Amino acid sequence: MSDDILTRASVPAPANAPANAPSADRPAPASSRQPVRAAVARAAELARDAEERARKRQHVKGKRTARERLDLLLDTGSFEEVGRFAGGDIAAGTPGAAVITGFGEVWGRKVAVYAQDFSVRGGTLGRAEGEKICRLMDRAIELKVPIVALIDSGGARIQEGVAALTEYGHIFRRTCRASGFVPQISLILGPCAGGAVYCPALTDVIVMTRENSNMFVTGPDVVKAATGETVSMEDLGGGRVHNAVSGVAHYLGEDEADAIDYARTLLAYLPSSADEMPPRYAYAATRADRDTAARLASVVPDNDRQPYDVLEVIRCIVDYGEFVQVQELFAGSAVVGFACVDGRPIGVVANQPNVNAGILDVDSSEKVARFVRLCDAFNLPVVTLVDTPGYKPGAAQEHAGIIRRGAKVIYAYGNAQVPLVTVILRKAFGGAYIVMGSKAIGADVNYAWPTSQIAVLGAEGAVNIIHRKDLQKARETGRDVDALRARLVADYQASTVNANLSLETGQIDAMIDPEQTRGAIADALRLLERKRRVRHTTKHHGNQPL
């Protein structure tokens, strides 16, 4: 609450006002001013003092206050606080609960926000805090606006016991209710421990920072007491761990400002709710775009074993070369993120040949599946760029659940009803060809580059299986086995691996040159612009492999 509450606003006197009327230069006599209640003045004083205490406590830790964070997140002057003193006691000098709730704007569009205030009771959550957050979420669902949470909390308030835990249950239920209906973004800007971690875990995107940001179900002290293991907070649940190892988080900010800016950027691509389409942006193609598109002809090597960076391909396709990665540090053999094509926001999924040849493993499968589901929930078309040798083989992958976790990609693509456009850049083998946005699994438009390879198995692997007896016989009779294998591989590539067979059977809609890729994708998105959801059955929901 600002100092304005303590004074009467000064306004110029109307042109026809009496000569002795109050004005900006001649304020009204004290006797004619509306009196300020002592309680209101006390509230304003408490608000000022609380923010000053928060600055002293947070700044020494290299952290911003909850209100400073909201200032960074929201458009200037747009924040409208709800329940400023709820949970407080003005007469007793308690300014309010340990959470700030309200509405503001990001890029001129309304969002609901709550920011936990670590300077008040360690940001812990009790009944008052839970009720404030639940009221905000109920209103956000009603108004169909995104929910952004700025988390910095010591967890459940121990003094309130089960009452505090109950509030987490209420928040979980509302988060599930909002899931897939309005975008939900969590920024972890301090500790988040115990049952509190499941509040962000249920949301669409989790953003953490390199320092001060921690998430764990049980802290280092409990871990040591239970298992004898000594581990630091950073190694147990720091920002890098959850971005690069566990995959819990989706972005690692250099600091709070970077993390908050990432959240603002994501909201620029997402609609306010599932009932709306994503925002559209003005875009005019230039000669530079054509020059950039032409570069694609030289980005992907002819040798199908030679790695390259698929990010270069993406940047040659999307508007201004701007691509916002999601989970950049996790499961590097797959790349996912947001971009625009001709001003239309899209989700991009791509195999990354620079990492394990772009193979699909348990982690990259879950990364792709989760992202496709996010795009499908919020009406973003999915553009898939395929260059993969298949699913990763080996006992370790089988034991880690490659069947169950790999099936998540199938479920995501098979159920998606947003426009799906797929381009096969170089190779698509085996089950990975089917699951990565194939026509058979539901894609709308599929393209392939002229040198692309589509088959059950790569040529060398297929020859080793199909012609194993011929190769063995050649070895026994002293013939040149390598020459025979090379000839058989060449024959297999010419007759089976090339994309012509898929083109002839209708699994590929067109063969396009690399430099035509951006234009072809733009044409496909225009064609599919009016695609809408269709309910095929009366089921409540499917039973996704989890």
Side-chain angles (χ1 to χ4, degrees):
M1 184 175 294
S2 69
D3 295 343
D4 292 345
I5 197 169
L6 302 179
T7 61
R8 184 176 185 270
S10 297
V11 295
N16 59 351
N20 61 349
S23 69
D25 298 324
R26 186 173 52 256
S31 59
S32 67
R33 296 179 191 172
Q34 182 178 349
V36 176
R37 292 173 53 196
V40 176
R42 175 61 174 155
E45 182 183 0
L46 285 175
R48 287 194 301 270
D49 291 346
E51 183 62 14
E52 181 60 30
R53 285 196 303 273
R55 282 194 290 267
K56 289 179 179 179
R57 294 183 182 183
Q58 293 289 86
H59 288 181
V60 295
K61 304 173 187 175
K63 298 162 66 176
R64 288 178 168 83
T65 70
R67 294 183 184 278
E68 289 171 341
R69 291 164 176 168
L70 289 173
D71 286 342
L72 279 179
L73 174 67
L74 301 172
D75 297 347
T76 303
S78 68
F79 183 53
E80 302 171 16
E81 189 166 359
V82 176
R84 171 66 179 87
F85 295 98
D89 187 336
I90 295 174
T94 305
V99 66
I100 300 166
T101 58
F103 294 86
E105 293 182 354
V106 175
W107 309 113
R109 295 159 55 212
K110 191 70 70 180
V111 298
V113 293
Y114 71 85
Q116 293 176 315
D117 189 346
F118 197 82
S119 69
V120 178
R121 302 180 185 179
T124 54
L125 186 133
R127 178 176 294 173
E129 289 77 13
E131 289 176 351
K132 285 184 70 173
I133 293 172
C134 287
R135 281 197 298 270
L136 179 83
M137 296 182 74
D138 287 341
R139 184 54 60 88
I141 294 171
E142 177 187 337
L143 297 176
K144 301 180 182 180
V145 298
I147 301 170
V148 181
L150 288 77
I151 296 174
D152 187 0
S153 170
R157 188 167 297 149
I158 298 173
Q159 297 88 329
E160 296 191 27
V162 175
L165 296 178
T166 298
E167 292 304 324
Y168 277 120
H170 293 159
I171 295 171
F172 295 161
R173 188 167 180 82
R174 283 164 174 81
T175 305
C176 293
R177 189 180 303 159
S179 181
F181 182 62
V182 295
Q184 298 181 88
I185 299 175
S186 298
L187 292 104
I188 314 300
L189 304 176
C192 182
V197 297
Y198 294 109
C199 289
L202 291 167
T203 61
D204 299 306
V205 177
I206 297 175
V207 182
M208 299 181 74
T209 58
R210 289 189 182 277
E211 298 181 0
N212 301 319
S213 182
N214 300 105
M215 293 178 72
F216 37 71
V217 175
T218 53
D221 293 340
V222 177
V223 169
K224 185 172 183 179
T227 68
E229 179 184 4
T230 301
V231 61
S232 68
M233 289 180 64
E234 184 63 29
D235 291 338
L236 181 63
R240 173 159 284 280
V241 167
H242 285 311
N243 273 272
V245 181
S246 72
V248 167
H250 300 81
Y251 181 73
L252 182 63
E254 291 296 328
D255 51 28
E256 290 187 7
D258 183 35
I260 291 171
D261 182 66
Y262 183 79
R264 283 179 57 88
T265 301
L266 289 184
L267 290 170
Y269 291 93
L270 296 169
S272 293
S273 78
D275 286 344
E276 300 179 16
M277 300 303 293
R280 288 287 299 273
Y281 299 101
Y283 184 81
T286 64
R287 181 177 178 180
D289 293 324
R290 293 189 292 272
D291 294 342
T292 301
R295 283 181 46 222
L296 280 175
S298 60
V299 170
V300 178
D302 293 332
N303 182 351
D304 63 3
R305 290 179 174 271
Q306 185 176 340
Y308 64 92
D309 189 353
V310 78
L311 290 174
E312 291 187 41
V313 175
I314 295 171
R315 293 183 183 120
C316 288
I317 292 171
V318 302
D319 294 354
Y320 308 113
E322 294 179 357
F323 179 57
V324 181
Q325 279 202 70
V326 176
Q327 289 188 300
E328 179 179 358
L329 302 179
F330 180 69
S333 62
V335 171
V336 300
F338 299 104
C340 286
V341 171
D342 276 355
R344 292 180 173 85
I346 62 168
V348 178
V349 175
N351 304 113
Q352 176 55 288
N354 253 357
V355 180
N356 295 329
I359 207 162
L360 282 176
D361 58 15
V362 290
D363 288 336
S364 60
S365 295
E366 290 189 333
K367 175 178 176 177
V368 169
R370 172 76 170 169
F371 184 74
V372 171
R373 294 286 280 177
L374 174 64
C375 292
D376 187 49
F378 296 113
N379 305 315
L380 270 81
V382 177
V383 174
T384 306
L385 306 177
V386 184
D387 188 349
T388 178
Y391 279 103
K392 187 176 182 179
Q397 286 292 300
E398 297 294 347
H399 297 168
I402 188 64
I403 297 173
R404 169 177 55 83
R405 296 163 76 178
K408 296 179 183 182
V409 185
I410 301 173
Y411 196 93
Y413 274 104
N415 282 277
Q417 293 200 32
V418 292
L420 300 176
V421 180
T422 300
V423 182
I424 297 175
L425 306 180
R426 192 165 62 172
K427 58 182 177 294
F429 294 152
Y433 156 69
I434 294 295
V435 305
M436 289 293 292
S438 69
K439 180 81 76 171
I441 207 169
D444 299 292
V445 179
N446 289 57
Y447 300 115
W449 286 3
T451 56
S452 60
Q453 302 176 3
I454 305 171
V456 174
L457 200 63
E460 290 192 11
V463 164
N464 288 336
I465 294 173
I466 297 171
H467 297 285
R468 62 183 181 277
K469 292 183 178 179
D470 296 331
L471 294 171
Q472 179 64 28
K473 187 179 295 185
R475 188 176 292 106
E476 292 172 352
T477 57
R479 295 165 56 195
D480 189 340
V481 176
D482 291 336
L484 175 60
R485 179 183 287 107
R487 179 174 62 78
L488 293 172
V489 165
D491 291 344
Y492 186 85
Q493 287 177 333
S495 62
T496 307
V497 174
N498 68 68
N500 287 337
L501 181 61
S502 296
L503 188 65
E504 293 165 0
T505 59
Q507 299 306 306
I508 297 296
D509 293 300
M511 203 78 77
I512 59 172
D513 289 327
E515 55 267 33
Q516 296 176 307
T517 306
R518 173 182 162 85
I521 291 173
D523 290 342
L525 293 175
R526 279 192 291 271
L527 172 69
L528 300 167
E529 188 172 11
R530 299 185 66 83
K531 182 182 179 183
R532 294 295 181 265
R533 302 181 186 280
V534 177
R535 186 165 184 171
H536 297 290
T537 69
T538 58
K539 68 181 180 182
H540 177 49
H541 61 68
N543 187 17
Q544 178 180 0
L546 296 172

